[in-house]
Amino acid sequence: MSDRTETVAEIRDLRVEIDGRAIVDGVHLRVRPGMVTALVGASGSGKTTTGLALLGEYPAGARVTGEVRLAEGGLVGYVPQHPAAVLNPARRVSALLDDIARPQVRALPPAERRAAARELVLRALSDAQLPDAKALLRRYPHQLSGGQQQRVVLAQALLLGARVVVADEPTTGQDALTKDRIVDQLAAVTARGIAVVLLSHDLDVVRALADEVLVMRAGRVVESGPVARLWRYPRHEWTRRLLDAQRAAPPDETRTGAGQPVLEVRHLTAVHGRTTVLRAPHLTLHPGECLAVMGRSGSGKTTLARCLAGLHRDHDGELLLDGTTLPRSLRHRSRAQLAAVQYVFQDTRAAFDEHRPVLDQVARTAVRLRGADERAAREEALTTLDSLGLAEEPAHRLPGELSGGELQRAALARALLAHPRVLICDEITSGLDTVTRRGILDLLAGLLRDRDDLSLVLITHDRETARIAHRVAVVDVGELAGEGRARQVLTP
């Protein structure tokens, strides 16, 4: 067992400035072997910047003062919030992991190296809670669900033999069962004497896993201490707000979803290559209704959403919008059909052009899909952004300068400028803190109350998020397993 009194990494008085604005200000952090230190706070509070400092990585153009120390041999592994960004899309999973494993078996005779490297890879995938590892090795990253991608990156960190693992939202987009497995895995990592720095919005996971918690706001640590003390006796107002904002509000039950469906699925069968990944015999969405689609990571719920949006064309069956057949592919949909069904992605950063101001990209939707002139489109964009809680000043920034919550509001505004009939939201709250998450859910509920012509498909693994829905459809192992009213399906 490692000595928990020693320090494997330490940050002293860290200050990170960009254009004279401090995004981290005076942070102290001690990382001990075999312990989980959690950083919690709203989007933009400085958690990720602090965690990346342990790897010696900072935002471009940042002015950094303070000190970061690593113990001798203190290799730091990193599991990012958006794993697709660090997985080479042109290489199979086996190649990505073999590159890390091969140097570790060079001392063996040449005839034994390949088998030994593969054994290391399979063990790391198993430790990362990835079943059917041999089949996954043949796939490319885009053929994995978000949860599977995240666990492949965790396997990379384990293969590296890191003494510290910085886990940035490792349970983002995961179903409850997979969250439990990730908690178990990270607990097993610490049992081997590896330190974990957990950056998380998921307070349930933090409570289950962390030893010490640092609560951050606006770049500063406003409260810290053992997890049990913080939960029972929070001292700072912001800590209390985070803990109080976990539950979503129930939907307006007067929205019964009567009349002709705005969207209908008939005999849908979707495939990846030759593998059937989803069967949905029948599913409807009515005007003014919120339908939550729930299921484990990799169950097929995102494939369903992508079929509806024309982003996954490899399917049979029929999709109907107001009783008229929708073409399978975006390329064959009319401008009106493109505007009618809008998709808001889980990874909003990947969905924005990093080189263009956010306002320009939001306004462009109205120009491209509705034929609005540019001046009117910018005015409508500013009004919509303001109504969603994003002021004009951050709207003029580049996407990389906005927090996750701010960028999620911008993504919603961009979709709304198309004046859609159907808004598909794919795990859009899974990477947000409880306060920001509650704000986004309240925004969605308010949109449904205020607009009779808007319907919502909410892809989620989270029961609390699904509580804003009128109905819930459950997808399990590629099959539409059932549906019903939310208050019935979500009853424990």
Side-chain angles (χ1 to χ4, degrees):
M1 291 288 293
S2 298
D3 181 2
R4 286 192 168 200
T5 63
E6 68 173 299
T7 300
V8 69
E10 186 173 8
I11 293 174
R12 295 181 180 178
D13 198 25
L14 179 67
R15 181 179 175 89
V16 181
E17 293 182 11
I18 298 179
D19 297 329
R21 180 172 61 95
I23 58 175
V24 169
D25 189 7
V27 170
H28 296 265
L29 172 67
R30 293 184 68 189
V31 181
R32 297 179 176 88
M35 296 185 67
V36 177
T37 303
L39 276 62
V40 303
S43 299
S45 62
K47 302 187 304 297
T48 297
T49 302
T50 301
L52 286 175
L54 292 169
L55 288 89
E57 296 187 8
Y58 301 94
R63 180 176 181 271
V64 181
T65 58
E67 188 175 13
V68 178
R69 290 183 175 181
L70 299 178
E72 186 176 350
L75 181 65
V76 180
Y78 181 56
V79 181
Q81 180 176 354
H82 301 298
V86 297
L87 294 173
N88 187 333
R91 305 193 73 199
R92 297 181 192 272
V93 172
S94 58
L96 297 172
L97 297 176
D98 285 345
D99 284 352
I100 300 173
R102 284 194 194 105
Q104 302 178 37
V105 297
R106 282 177 180 164
L108 296 176
E112 300 177 15
R113 290 175 188 169
R114 183 173 182 179
R118 180 51 52 92
E119 179 62 29
L120 289 176
V121 167
L122 291 175
R123 186 186 310 156
L125 288 171
S126 176
D127 289 344
Q129 306 296 327
L130 271 168
D132 197 18
K134 290 183 178 179
L136 286 176
L137 289 174
R138 296 191 294 269
R139 298 185 190 175
Y140 291 94
H142 74 272
Q143 295 174 319
L144 306 177
S145 70
Q148 289 170 327
Q149 291 174 347
Q150 205 151 30
R151 280 168 274 166
V152 167
V153 177
L154 176 57
Q156 289 179 321
L158 296 175
L159 270 174
L160 283 167
R163 292 190 64 189
V164 180
V165 172
V166 178
D168 192 354
E169 300 289 353
T171 57
T172 292
Q174 307 279 17
D175 59 275
L177 180 59
T178 307
K179 280 186 183 183
D180 290 342
R181 288 177 175 171
I182 292 295
V183 168
D184 291 343
Q185 170 54 36
L186 292 177
V189 167
T190 61
R192 298 201 297 266
I194 300 172
V196 173
V197 177
L198 176 65
L199 319 177
S200 183
H201 297 119
D202 193 326
L203 298 185
D204 290 332
V205 169
V206 170
R207 186 177 187 182
L209 194 58
D211 298 291
E212 295 283 330
V213 179
L214 282 69
V215 181
M216 298 190 68
R217 188 181 190 195
R220 301 187 67 87
V221 177
V222 298
E223 184 170 1
S224 64
V227 64
R229 199 276 296 164
L230 255 71
W231 251 253
R232 292 176 184 171
Y233 309 109
R235 296 169 182 167
H236 196 277
E237 178 187 357
W238 181 246
T239 308
R240 291 192 289 270
R241 282 188 63 188
L242 287 174
L243 295 173
D244 289 343
Q246 296 188 65
R247 297 191 65 85
D252 179 0
E253 289 293 342
T254 63
R255 309 296 287 269
T256 60
Q260 179 181 344
V262 62
L263 194 64
E264 187 173 5
V265 175
R266 295 178 181 173
H267 308 295
L268 176 68
T269 301
V271 298
H272 282 305
R274 297 180 179 180
T275 304
T276 298
V277 293
L278 176 68
R279 290 186 180 90
H282 190 246
L283 194 64
T284 58
L285 178 70
H286 292 86
E289 184 180 45
C290 176
L291 172 69
V293 180
M294 298 187 68
R296 293 180 55 189
S297 176
S299 63
K301 57 187 187 293
T302 292
T303 298
L304 173 61
R306 291 176 65 84
C307 288
L308 298 178
L311 298 171
H312 184 92
R313 59 176 296 172
D314 294 332
H315 67 82
D316 294 324
E318 200 172 14
L319 304 175
L320 303 176
L321 177 70
D322 293 323
T324 301
T325 299
L326 270 176
R328 298 179 190 177
S329 173
L330 280 177
R331 296 179 181 179
H332 301 122
R333 293 187 181 184
S334 67
R335 190 163 70 171
Q337 289 171 331
L338 292 172
V341 182
Q342 286 287 296
Y343 197 103
V344 184
F345 293 86
Q346 177 179 355
D347 184 358
T348 49
R349 295 202 183 279
F352 277 89
D353 181 346
E354 61 180 328
H355 302 296
R356 295 173 57 212
V358 166
L359 177 60
D360 293 351
Q361 298 185 61
V362 172
R364 179 62 182 164
T365 298
V367 175
R368 182 172 61 89
L369 294 182
R370 292 175 29 231
D373 67 73
E374 292 191 6
R375 181 175 180 179
R378 287 178 68 85
E379 290 177 356
E380 184 180 356
L382 285 171
T383 300
T384 304
L385 287 165
D386 182 68
S387 71
L388 296 179
L390 188 64
E392 181 172 354
E393 190 275 327
H396 286 281
R397 299 180 193 166
L398 297 176
E401 298 172 350
L402 271 63
S403 71
E406 290 172 331
L407 204 56
Q408 197 60 269
R409 284 174 163 80
L412 280 171
R414 181 172 62 179
L416 291 173
L417 253 68
H419 293 183
R421 300 289 314 284
V422 177
L423 187 62
I424 302 171
C425 298
D426 188 357
E427 297 281 13
I428 67 168
T429 62
S430 61
L432 303 177
D433 63 273
T434 54
V435 173
T436 306
R437 169 182 163 276
R438 179 63 179 269
I440 293 292
L441 292 177
D442 288 347
L443 284 174
L444 293 175
L447 287 170
L448 288 175
R449 284 194 304 269
D450 298 339
R451 292 184 51 177
D452 292 333
D453 60 340
L454 179 67
S455 302
L456 176 64
V457 177
L458 188 64
I459 307 299
T460 183
H461 66 279
D462 181 61
R463 284 176 173 267
E464 293 304 322
T465 298
R467 290 188 191 281
I468 74 165
H470 301 91
R471 288 188 300 124
V472 174
V474 179
V475 181
D476 185 37
V477 198
E479 300 283 347
L480 184 60
E483 63 174 297
R485 286 196 173 268
R487 58 183 176 181
Q488 295 171 332
V489 175
L490 300 176
T491 299

